[in-house]
Amino acid sequence: MNFELASMSLGLMADDATDLLLVLVPDGFKPGRDRLSRLIGEAMKSQALETKAGKLLSAWRAPGVAAERLVLAGAGDMSAVQVRTAVVAAMALVKSAAGRRLTIGFAGPCTGGAMRAAVQAVADGSYVYTTTKSKPEGRKLHDVVIAVADDTLSEPFRQATALVAGIEWAKEWANRPANHATPRQLAEAAQSLAKGKIECTVLGPKQVAKLGMGSFLAVAQGSQEPLRFIELRYDGAAKGEPPVVLVGKGITFDTGGISIKPAPEMDEMKFDMCGAASVLGVFRTLSELKPKINVVGLIPACENMPGGKAVKPGDVVTSMSGQTIEILNTDAEGRLVLCDALAYAARFKPRAVVDIATLTGACVIALGGVRSGLFSSSDALAAALLTAGESSLDLCWRLPLDDEYAEGLKSPFADVANVAGRAGGAVTAAKFLQRFASGLDWAHLDIAGTAWKGGAAKGATGRPVGLLVDYLLSVEKEQGSRGSIPTKAGRNGRSTGTRSKGGLSI
Ligand code: BES
Ligand code: MN
Ligand code: ZN
C-alpha cells in the first residue's frame, strides 16, 4: 500500500477527486467558510454527526464534495488513541466501499502520534493475508493520502510508514503456516533484509553445537527440520556504540514435544515464532528509518516436535552458559531456546537485551490480549519500555521478579529445572530466563496474549513491533543528547570514543 502525505485544508479536501474521503472531526469543531466544513458544522448541529470517537456518518456523492464516498468520523479529543478508535470504526465502511484511493483528512490540529495512529489503523484494517491462497484477493486499498493542514509532520509520517512496513513483515511471517515458515525459511527472510546497514549471519546445527548451545539443540532434536540460529546486525551508529540486542523466540511450531499439547487450537502454535517475527519486523523498519543506533537481532529458530529422537521429560542438558537444566516438561521449550540466545547476547557487550517471546499461557490468563507482560531486572529499562508502549499504543505491564518465585525451579538432578508449578507461570518462566541474563541490562516481553488473535479474526497483530521501534528511537534520542554534551576537552562525546554505561567517560 502506498501512503502519501499532503498539505491540504478542508476546502481543498472537498475538491479531491478521491474514491473515499474520511474526515476526522474533533470535539468542538468550528466550521470555516468552505463547503466541507459547513457541511460538517450542519451535521453536528442537527446531531446527525457526533464527535465522540468511533461515531460515523457516511454519504454517497455528497453535494460539493468531489469524492465518491464521504465518511465523517468523530475523533473526540484527537489524541492518538481516539484517532485510532475513529479510523478502526471507519475502516468497516471504507472496506465495504471497495475504492482504491482513500484520503484521510484531519479537521483540526493533529499531532505526530495521532497521524501515526491513523496510518497504522488504515494499514491494519485493510491488511489481507494472501500467501497461501490459490486465488489471492489482496487488499483493495492501494493509495492512502494523509491530508494535514500543516507541513511539520513529515518526520512522524516517515516513521509511521516505516513502522507499518515492519508490522506487515511481522504479520506476514507470523501468519504463514509452519510448513511455509520453517526455520530455514525464516533464515531466508532474515537474509533478504541484509542490505545497506543490515548484515545477517545464519548458523546451522553443527555451529550451534560448537557454541555449546545444548539447551537449544535439545528442543530442536525431535524435528526433521534443521534448526537455524539467526543473527541480524543493524549498524547505524559508530562501531563502539553498544548495541541493543533483541532476542526473538522462533519456535516455528510448538506441538509441546513429548509433553504434547491437546488437539484443540494446536494450529495456533504456528504463531509461536511471533517474537522472531517481531524482530524481523523491527529490522524491516530500521532498514527504512535508518536511525543512528546499533541493534542486534538474535533468533533461535526450530520446531518443537515429539519423535524417536525427541528430548524426554527428565533429560538433563547443558546450556551455553554452562548451567545444566532438567527438562521436566518439553512444552516449556521457549525458555530453553532463549536461554542459549541470552548467553550468546553477552558477547555484544550490549547496552540492553530485550527478549520477545510467546512464552506462557499463564501470561494470557494474567493480562489477556491488551498488554504484553514485561519483566526486567533494570528499573530504567522497564520504564523506557513502558513509556515506549504508551507512546506507540502497544501496551505492556510490568510483572515482578522476586527471588521467591524461583523456588519451584530447583532440581535435584541439575542446576535448574525448566518448569515450576502452575502458580505464577509467567513469572517463573521469567525467573528461569533471568538466570541466563546475569550481568546484562535485560528485559523480557511475554507476548503470548498480544501477538495474535484467535477466533474468527484469527491472525497476527504485528505486536510488539511498535513498542520496540519506539524504544529504539528513545535510545537514539538519548544517545544523541549524550553525544552533544561538550566534554572538558571541548569536543563532543561522540568523537571521544570510550564511553561507559552511565554516560560519557571523559
Ligand atoms: N508457546 C507456549 C505458550 C503459549 C501457550 C502461548 C498458549 C500462547 C498460548 C509455550 O511454549 C508453552 O507451551 N508454555 C507452557 C509452559 C508450561 C509447560 C510450564 C504453558 O504456558 O502452558
Ligand atoms: Mn510449549
Ligand atoms: Zn512455545
Side-chain angles (χ1 to χ4, degrees), residues 249 251 254 256 261 268-269 272 304 329-335 358-364 418-421 425 446 448-449 452:
K249 172 178 173 183
I251 300 295
D254 181 12
K261 287 182 181 295
E268 293 188 16
M269 282 299 118
D272 212 16
N304 184 23
N329 189 321
T330 65
D331 197 12
E333 84 299 336
R335 61 198 79 181
T358 48
L359 203 64
T360 64
C363 195
V364 189
N418 78 327
V419 289
D446 193 332
W452 79 88

PDB file of all heavy atoms in Angstrom, residues 249 251 254 256 261 268-269 272 304 329-335 358-364 418-421 425 446 448-449 452, ligand 1:
ATOM      1  N   LYS A 249      11.901 -15.329  20.232  1.00  0.00           N
ATOM      2  CA  LYS A 249      11.610 -16.764  20.256  1.00  0.00           C
ATOM      3  C   LYS A 249      11.100 -17.182  18.877  1.00  0.00           C
ATOM      4  O   LYS A 249      10.108 -16.670  18.387  1.00  0.00           O
ATOM      5  CB  LYS A 249      10.545 -17.069  21.329  1.00  0.00           C
ATOM      6  CG  LYS A 249      10.035 -18.520  21.307  1.00  0.00           C
ATOM      7  CD  LYS A 249       9.020 -18.812  22.416  1.00  0.00           C
ATOM      8  CE  LYS A 249       8.398 -20.196  22.263  1.00  0.00           C
ATOM      9  NZ  LYS A 249       7.355 -20.494  23.282  1.00  0.00           N
ATOM     10  N   ILE A 251      10.078 -20.471  17.700  1.00  0.00           N
ATOM     11  CA  ILE A 251       9.552 -21.838  17.583  1.00  0.00           C
ATOM     12  C   ILE A 251       8.527 -21.822  16.443  1.00  0.00           C
ATOM     13  O   ILE A 251       7.424 -21.277  16.589  1.00  0.00           O
ATOM     14  CB  ILE A 251       8.918 -22.317  18.913  1.00  0.00           C
ATOM     15  CG1 ILE A 251       9.959 -22.314  20.040  1.00  0.00           C
ATOM     16  CG2 ILE A 251       8.302 -23.713  18.737  1.00  0.00           C
ATOM     17  CD1 ILE A 251      11.117 -23.300  19.874  1.00  0.00           C
ATOM     18  N   ASP A 254       4.971 -25.357  17.770  1.00  0.00           N
ATOM     19  CA  ASP A 254       5.122 -25.910  19.116  1.00  0.00           C
ATOM     20  C   ASP A 254       4.042 -26.966  19.374  1.00  0.00           C
ATOM     21  O   ASP A 254       2.919 -26.643  19.723  1.00  0.00           O
ATOM     22  CB  ASP A 254       5.028 -24.779  20.151  1.00  0.00           C
ATOM     23  CG  ASP A 254       5.196 -25.290  21.584  1.00  0.00           C
ATOM     24  OD1 ASP A 254       5.604 -26.459  21.759  1.00  0.00           O
ATOM     25  OD2 ASP A 254       4.937 -24.504  22.515  1.00  0.00           O
ATOM     26  N   GLY A 256       4.473 -29.079  21.665  1.00  0.00           N
ATOM     27  CA  GLY A 256       4.691 -29.430  23.073  1.00  0.00           C
ATOM     28  C   GLY A 256       5.777 -30.483  23.209  1.00  0.00           C
ATOM     29  O   GLY A 256       6.299 -30.702  24.292  1.00  0.00           O
ATOM     30  N   LYS A 261       0.779 -31.216  23.458  1.00  0.00           N
ATOM     31  CA  LYS A 261      -0.366 -30.344  23.728  1.00  0.00           C
ATOM     32  C   LYS A 261      -1.659 -31.020  23.293  1.00  0.00           C
ATOM     33  O   LYS A 261      -1.642 -31.855  22.388  1.00  0.00           O
ATOM     34  CB  LYS A 261      -0.218 -29.040  22.920  1.00  0.00           C
ATOM     35  CG  LYS A 261       0.838 -28.086  23.440  1.00  0.00           C
ATOM     36  CD  LYS A 261       0.854 -26.818  22.605  1.00  0.00           C
ATOM     37  CE  LYS A 261       1.918 -25.851  23.097  1.00  0.00           C
ATOM     38  NZ  LYS A 261       1.667 -25.336  24.453  1.00  0.00           N
ATOM     39  N   GLU A 268      -2.769 -22.940  16.311  1.00  0.00           N
ATOM     40  CA  GLU A 268      -2.291 -21.594  16.671  1.00  0.00           C
ATOM     41  C   GLU A 268      -0.835 -21.595  17.120  1.00  0.00           C
ATOM     42  O   GLU A 268      -0.219 -20.532  17.234  1.00  0.00           O
ATOM     43  CB  GLU A 268      -3.194 -20.970  17.751  1.00  0.00           C
ATOM     44  CG  GLU A 268      -4.583 -20.673  17.214  1.00  0.00           C
ATOM     45  CD  GLU A 268      -5.468 -19.892  18.167  1.00  0.00           C
ATOM     46  OE1 GLU A 268      -4.948 -19.315  19.133  1.00  0.00           O
ATOM     47  OE2 GLU A 268      -6.693 -19.885  17.946  1.00  0.00           O
ATOM     48  N   MET A 269      -0.301 -22.773  17.352  1.00  0.00           N
ATOM     49  CA  MET A 269       1.117 -22.827  17.761  1.00  0.00           C
ATOM     50  C   MET A 269       2.073 -22.578  16.592  1.00  0.00           C
ATOM     51  O   MET A 269       3.290 -22.567  16.763  1.00  0.00           O
ATOM     52  CB  MET A 269       1.416 -24.128  18.490  1.00  0.00           C
ATOM     53  CG  MET A 269       0.913 -24.098  19.926  1.00  0.00           C
ATOM     54  SD  MET A 269       1.701 -22.782  20.907  1.00  0.00           S
ATOM     55  CE  MET A 269       0.317 -21.771  21.349  1.00  0.00           C
ATOM     56  N   ASP A 272       4.008 -19.471  17.341  1.00  0.00           N
ATOM     57  CA  ASP A 272       4.975 -19.485  18.434  1.00  0.00           C
ATOM     58  C   ASP A 272       6.328 -18.892  18.020  1.00  0.00           C
ATOM     59  O   ASP A 272       7.294 -18.924  18.782  1.00  0.00           O
ATOM     60  CB  ASP A 272       5.151 -20.918  18.955  1.00  0.00           C
ATOM     61  CG  ASP A 272       5.463 -20.952  20.447  1.00  0.00           C
ATOM     62  OD1 ASP A 272       5.245 -19.917  21.113  1.00  0.00           O
ATOM     63  OD2 ASP A 272       5.927 -21.993  20.934  1.00  0.00           O
ATOM     64  N   ASN A 304       9.305 -27.628  17.736  1.00  0.00           N
ATOM     65  CA  ASN A 304       9.257 -28.453  18.945  1.00  0.00           C
ATOM     66  C   ASN A 304       8.349 -29.649  18.651  1.00  0.00           C
ATOM     67  O   ASN A 304       7.130 -29.511  18.629  1.00  0.00           O
ATOM     68  CB  ASN A 304       8.723 -27.630  20.126  1.00  0.00           C
ATOM     69  CG  ASN A 304       8.750 -28.398  21.438  1.00  0.00           C
ATOM     70  OD1 ASN A 304       9.530 -29.348  21.594  1.00  0.00           O
ATOM     71  ND2 ASN A 304       7.904 -28.013  22.381  1.00  0.00           N
ATOM     72  N   ASN A 329       9.391 -30.626  31.554  1.00  0.00           N
ATOM     73  CA  ASN A 329       8.255 -30.523  30.644  1.00  0.00           C
ATOM     74  C   ASN A 329       8.778 -30.011  29.300  1.00  0.00           C
ATOM     75  O   ASN A 329       9.312 -28.902  29.211  1.00  0.00           O
ATOM     76  CB  ASN A 329       7.221 -29.554  31.231  1.00  0.00           C
ATOM     77  CG  ASN A 329       5.924 -29.557  30.442  1.00  0.00           C
ATOM     78  OD1 ASN A 329       5.940 -29.637  29.211  1.00  0.00           O
ATOM     79  ND2 ASN A 329       4.805 -29.502  31.146  1.00  0.00           N
ATOM     80  N   THR A 330       8.630 -30.855  28.265  1.00  0.00           N
ATOM     81  CA  THR A 330       9.204 -30.459  26.966  1.00  0.00           C
ATOM     82  C   THR A 330       8.389 -29.348  26.310  1.00  0.00           C
ATOM     83  O   THR A 330       8.810 -28.777  25.304  1.00  0.00           O
ATOM     84  CB  THR A 330       9.304 -31.656  25.998  1.00  0.00           C
ATOM     85  OG1 THR A 330       7.973 -32.108  25.693  1.00  0.00           O
ATOM     86  CG2 THR A 330      10.116 -32.802  26.597  1.00  0.00           C
ATOM     87  N   ASP A 331       7.214 -29.048  26.883  1.00  0.00           N
ATOM     88  CA  ASP A 331       6.400 -27.958  26.349  1.00  0.00           C
ATOM     89  C   ASP A 331       6.877 -26.591  26.852  1.00  0.00           C
ATOM     90  O   ASP A 331       6.430 -25.560  26.359  1.00  0.00           O
ATOM     91  CB  ASP A 331       4.923 -28.184  26.709  1.00  0.00           C
ATOM     92  CG  ASP A 331       3.984 -27.346  25.856  1.00  0.00           C
ATOM     93  OD1 ASP A 331       4.454 -26.776  24.848  1.00  0.00           O
ATOM     94  OD2 ASP A 331       2.788 -27.276  26.196  1.00  0.00           O
ATOM     95  N   ALA A 332       7.746 -26.591  27.839  1.00  0.00           N
ATOM     96  CA  ALA A 332       8.338 -25.311  28.272  1.00  0.00           C
ATOM     97  C   ALA A 332       9.638 -25.135  27.504  1.00  0.00           C
ATOM     98  O   ALA A 332      10.741 -25.095  28.063  1.00  0.00           O
ATOM     99  CB  ALA A 332       8.571 -25.316  29.772  1.00  0.00           C
ATOM    100  N   GLU A 333       9.499 -25.087  26.154  1.00  0.00           N
ATOM    101  CA  GLU A 333      10.671 -25.096  25.261  1.00  0.00           C
ATOM    102  C   GLU A 333      11.178 -23.705  24.939  1.00  0.00           C
ATOM    103  O   GLU A 333      12.343 -23.541  24.596  1.00  0.00           O
ATOM    104  CB  GLU A 333      10.325 -25.846  23.970  1.00  0.00           C
ATOM    105  CG  GLU A 333       9.625 -25.027  22.880  1.00  0.00           C
ATOM    106  CD  GLU A 333       8.277 -24.459  23.286  1.00  0.00           C
ATOM    107  OE1 GLU A 333       7.651 -25.020  24.203  1.00  0.00           O
ATOM    108  OE2 GLU A 333       7.851 -23.449  22.696  1.00  0.00           O
ATOM    109  N   GLY A 334      10.290 -22.718  25.043  1.00  0.00           N
ATOM    110  CA  GLY A 334      10.692 -21.359  24.663  1.00  0.00           C
ATOM    111  C   GLY A 334      11.880 -20.890  25.481  1.00  0.00           C
ATOM    112  O   GLY A 334      12.879 -20.398  24.959  1.00  0.00           O
ATOM    113  N   ARG A 335      11.781 -21.099  26.787  1.00  0.00           N
ATOM    114  CA  ARG A 335      12.860 -20.665  27.686  1.00  0.00           C
ATOM    115  C   ARG A 335      14.149 -21.442  27.395  1.00  0.00           C
ATOM    116  O   ARG A 335      15.247 -20.939  27.627  1.00  0.00           O
ATOM    117  CB  ARG A 335      12.407 -20.831  29.142  1.00  0.00           C
ATOM    118  CG  ARG A 335      12.075 -22.250  29.514  1.00  0.00           C
ATOM    119  CD  ARG A 335      11.235 -22.343  30.778  1.00  0.00           C
ATOM    120  NE  ARG A 335       9.813 -22.050  30.530  1.00  0.00           N
ATOM    121  CZ  ARG A 335       8.873 -22.054  31.476  1.00  0.00           C
ATOM    122  NH1 ARG A 335       9.205 -22.309  32.726  1.00  0.00           N
ATOM    123  NH2 ARG A 335       7.619 -21.801  31.167  1.00  0.00           N
ATOM    124  N   THR A 358       6.450 -15.567  22.842  1.00  0.00           N
ATOM    125  CA  THR A 358       5.117 -16.103  23.163  1.00  0.00           C
ATOM    126  C   THR A 358       5.365 -17.208  24.180  1.00  0.00           C
ATOM    127  O   THR A 358       5.304 -18.391  23.859  1.00  0.00           O
ATOM    128  CB  THR A 358       4.487 -16.680  21.886  1.00  0.00           C
ATOM    129  OG1 THR A 358       5.465 -17.528  21.250  1.00  0.00           O
ATOM    130  CG2 THR A 358       4.068 -15.596  20.911  1.00  0.00           C
ATOM    131  N   LEU A 359       5.650 -16.804  25.423  1.00  0.00           N
ATOM    132  CA  LEU A 359       6.281 -17.745  26.337  1.00  0.00           C
ATOM    133  C   LEU A 359       5.320 -18.585  27.172  1.00  0.00           C
ATOM    134  O   LEU A 359       5.561 -19.776  27.362  1.00  0.00           O
ATOM    135  CB  LEU A 359       7.270 -17.007  27.249  1.00  0.00           C
ATOM    136  CG  LEU A 359       8.351 -17.913  27.841  1.00  0.00           C
ATOM    137  CD1 LEU A 359       9.248 -18.485  26.754  1.00  0.00           C
ATOM    138  CD2 LEU A 359       9.204 -17.172  28.856  1.00  0.00           C
ATOM    139  N   THR A 360       4.258 -17.960  27.686  1.00  0.00           N
ATOM    140  CA  THR A 360       3.415 -18.729  28.608  1.00  0.00           C
ATOM    141  C   THR A 360       1.921 -18.493  28.423  1.00  0.00           C
ATOM    142  O   THR A 360       1.471 -17.352  28.235  1.00  0.00           O
ATOM    143  CB  THR A 360       3.750 -18.385  30.087  1.00  0.00           C
ATOM    144  OG1 THR A 360       3.430 -17.014  30.347  1.00  0.00           O
ATOM    145  CG2 THR A 360       5.209 -18.667  30.407  1.00  0.00           C
ATOM    146  N   GLY A 361       1.168 -19.573  28.529  1.00  0.00           N
ATOM    147  CA  GLY A 361      -0.286 -19.463  28.596  1.00  0.00           C
ATOM    148  C   GLY A 361      -0.685 -18.682  29.842  1.00  0.00           C
ATOM    149  O   GLY A 361      -1.710 -17.993  29.856  1.00  0.00           O
ATOM    150  N   ALA A 362       0.135 -18.773  30.872  1.00  0.00           N
ATOM    151  CA  ALA A 362      -0.167 -18.072  32.125  1.00  0.00           C
ATOM    152  C   ALA A 362      -0.219 -16.558  31.931  1.00  0.00           C
ATOM    153  O   ALA A 362      -0.996 -15.865  32.591  1.00  0.00           O
ATOM    154  CB  ALA A 362       0.885 -18.422  33.174  1.00  0.00           C
ATOM    155  N   CYS A 363       0.579 -16.046  31.001  1.00  0.00           N
ATOM    156  CA  CYS A 363       0.567 -14.601  30.752  1.00  0.00           C
ATOM    157  C   CYS A 363      -0.741 -14.200  30.064  1.00  0.00           C
ATOM    158  O   CYS A 363      -1.252 -13.103  30.269  1.00  0.00           O
ATOM    159  CB  CYS A 363       1.773 -14.181  29.906  1.00  0.00           C
ATOM    160  SG  CYS A 363       2.049 -12.403  29.920  1.00  0.00           S
ATOM    161  N   VAL A 364      -1.275 -15.103  29.244  1.00  0.00           N
ATOM    162  CA  VAL A 364      -2.565 -14.837  28.598  1.00  0.00           C
ATOM    163  C   VAL A 364      -3.649 -14.744  29.678  1.00  0.00           C
ATOM    164  O   VAL A 364      -4.538 -13.883  29.628  1.00  0.00           O
ATOM    165  CB  VAL A 364      -2.930 -15.943  27.586  1.00  0.00           C
ATOM    166  CG1 VAL A 364      -4.153 -15.556  26.776  1.00  0.00           C
ATOM    167  CG2 VAL A 364      -1.750 -16.265  26.674  1.00  0.00           C
ATOM    168  N   ASN A 418      13.262 -26.735  34.213  1.00  0.00           N
ATOM    169  CA  ASN A 418      12.690 -25.775  33.250  1.00  0.00           C
ATOM    170  C   ASN A 418      11.258 -25.387  33.575  1.00  0.00           C
ATOM    171  O   ASN A 418      10.698 -24.511  32.912  1.00  0.00           O
ATOM    172  CB  ASN A 418      12.829 -26.271  31.807  1.00  0.00           C
ATOM    173  CG  ASN A 418      11.808 -27.317  31.424  1.00  0.00           C
ATOM    174  OD1 ASN A 418      11.385 -28.124  32.271  1.00  0.00           O
ATOM    175  ND2 ASN A 418      11.394 -27.333  30.159  1.00  0.00           N
ATOM    176  N   VAL A 419      10.652 -26.013  34.574  1.00  0.00           N
ATOM    177  CA  VAL A 419       9.314 -25.578  34.998  1.00  0.00           C
ATOM    178  C   VAL A 419       9.205 -25.599  36.519  1.00  0.00           C
ATOM    179  O   VAL A 419       9.891 -26.359  37.198  1.00  0.00           O
ATOM    180  CB  VAL A 419       8.170 -26.473  34.439  1.00  0.00           C
ATOM    181  CG1 VAL A 419       7.988 -26.257  32.957  1.00  0.00           C
ATOM    182  CG2 VAL A 419       8.407 -27.953  34.729  1.00  0.00           C
ATOM    183  N   ALA A 420       8.309 -24.750  37.011  1.00  0.00           N
ATOM    184  CA  ALA A 420       7.916 -24.792  38.418  1.00  0.00           C
ATOM    185  C   ALA A 420       6.438 -25.214  38.424  1.00  0.00           C
ATOM    186  O   ALA A 420       5.962 -25.769  37.440  1.00  0.00           O
ATOM    187  CB  ALA A 420       8.131 -23.424  39.047  1.00  0.00           C
ATOM    188  N   GLY A 421       5.713 -24.958  39.468  1.00  0.00           N
ATOM    189  CA  GLY A 421       4.294 -25.360  39.487  1.00  0.00           C
ATOM    190  C   GLY A 421       3.450 -24.478  38.577  1.00  0.00           C
ATOM    191  O   GLY A 421       3.981 -23.662  37.833  1.00  0.00           O
ATOM    192  N   GLY A 425       2.874 -18.806  36.566  1.00  0.00           N
ATOM    193  CA  GLY A 425       3.641 -19.413  35.469  1.00  0.00           C
ATOM    194  C   GLY A 425       4.405 -18.424  34.596  1.00  0.00           C
ATOM    195  O   GLY A 425       5.497 -18.746  34.114  1.00  0.00           O
ATOM    196  N   ASP A 446       6.644 -10.959  27.451  1.00  0.00           N
ATOM    197  CA  ASP A 446       5.839 -12.154  27.171  1.00  0.00           C
ATOM    198  C   ASP A 446       4.631 -11.711  26.340  1.00  0.00           C
ATOM    199  O   ASP A 446       3.723 -11.049  26.841  1.00  0.00           O
ATOM    200  CB  ASP A 446       5.402 -12.833  28.476  1.00  0.00           C
ATOM    201  CG  ASP A 446       4.841 -14.238  28.226  1.00  0.00           C
ATOM    202  OD1 ASP A 446       4.298 -14.480  27.122  1.00  0.00           O
ATOM    203  OD2 ASP A 446       4.949 -15.092  29.140  1.00  0.00           O
ATOM    204  N   ALA A 448       2.540 -13.708  24.643  1.00  0.00           N
ATOM    205  CA  ALA A 448       1.635 -14.828  24.339  1.00  0.00           C
ATOM    206  C   ALA A 448       0.190 -14.363  24.127  1.00  0.00           C
ATOM    207  O   ALA A 448      -0.538 -14.943  23.321  1.00  0.00           O
ATOM    208  CB  ALA A 448       1.706 -15.859  25.460  1.00  0.00           C
ATOM    209  N   GLY A 449      -0.222 -13.306  24.814  1.00  0.00           N
ATOM    210  CA  GLY A 449      -1.610 -12.842  24.684  1.00  0.00           C
ATOM    211  C   GLY A 449      -1.816 -11.788  23.619  1.00  0.00           C
ATOM    212  O   GLY A 449      -2.947 -11.548  23.178  1.00  0.00           O
ATOM    213  N   TRP A 452      -1.049 -12.458  18.632  1.00  0.00           N
ATOM    214  CA  TRP A 452      -2.031 -12.864  17.611  1.00  0.00           C
ATOM    215  C   TRP A 452      -3.420 -12.933  18.229  1.00  0.00           C
ATOM    216  O   TRP A 452      -3.567 -12.957  19.443  1.00  0.00           O
ATOM    217  CB  TRP A 452      -1.645 -14.203  16.978  1.00  0.00           C
ATOM    218  CG  TRP A 452      -1.975 -15.428  17.777  1.00  0.00           C
ATOM    219  CD1 TRP A 452      -3.148 -16.135  17.765  1.00  0.00           C
ATOM    220  CD2 TRP A 452      -1.107 -16.127  18.702  1.00  0.00           C
ATOM    221  NE1 TRP A 452      -3.048 -17.219  18.615  1.00  0.00           N
ATOM    222  CE2 TRP A 452      -1.827 -17.236  19.205  1.00  0.00           C
ATOM    223  CE3 TRP A 452       0.204 -15.921  19.136  1.00  0.00           C
ATOM    224  CZ2 TRP A 452      -1.281 -18.136  20.125  1.00  0.00           C
ATOM    225  CZ3 TRP A 452       0.752 -16.810  20.062  1.00  0.00           C
ATOM    226  CH2 TRP A 452       0.011 -17.900  20.540  1.00  0.00           C
TER     227      TRP A 452
HETATM  228  N1  BES B   1       4.161 -21.441  23.280  1.00  0.00           N
HETATM  229  C1  BES B   1       3.676 -21.838  24.545  1.00  0.00           C
HETATM  230  C2  BES B   1       2.972 -20.713  25.286  1.00  0.00           C
HETATM  231  C3  BES B   1       1.598 -20.351  24.805  1.00  0.00           C
HETATM  232  C4  BES B   1       0.530 -21.179  25.060  1.00  0.00           C
HETATM  233  C5  BES B   1       1.378 -19.173  24.172  1.00  0.00           C
HETATM  234  C6  BES B   1      -0.733 -20.824  24.653  1.00  0.00           C
HETATM  235  C7  BES B   1       0.117 -18.815  23.778  1.00  0.00           C
HETATM  236  C8  BES B   1      -0.943 -19.642  24.014  1.00  0.00           C
HETATM  237  C9  BES B   1       4.825 -22.307  25.431  1.00  0.00           C
HETATM  238  O1  BES B   1       5.838 -22.952  24.780  1.00  0.00           O
HETATM  239  C10 BES B   1       4.240 -23.291  26.393  1.00  0.00           C
HETATM  240  O2  BES B   1       3.788 -24.302  25.962  1.00  0.00           O
HETATM  241  N2  BES B   1       4.264 -22.950  27.681  1.00  0.00           N
HETATM  242  C11 BES B   1       3.705 -23.767  28.673  1.00  0.00           C
HETATM  243  C12 BES B   1       4.638 -23.782  29.858  1.00  0.00           C
HETATM  244  C13 BES B   1       4.294 -24.795  30.886  1.00  0.00           C
HETATM  245  C14 BES B   1       4.559 -26.177  30.351  1.00  0.00           C
HETATM  246  C15 BES B   1       5.099 -24.526  32.119  1.00  0.00           C
HETATM  247  C16 BES B   1       2.341 -23.211  29.049  1.00  0.00           C
HETATM  248  O3  BES B   1       2.202 -21.990  29.122  1.00  0.00           O
HETATM  249  O4  BES B   1       1.432 -23.993  29.209  1.00  0.00           O
END
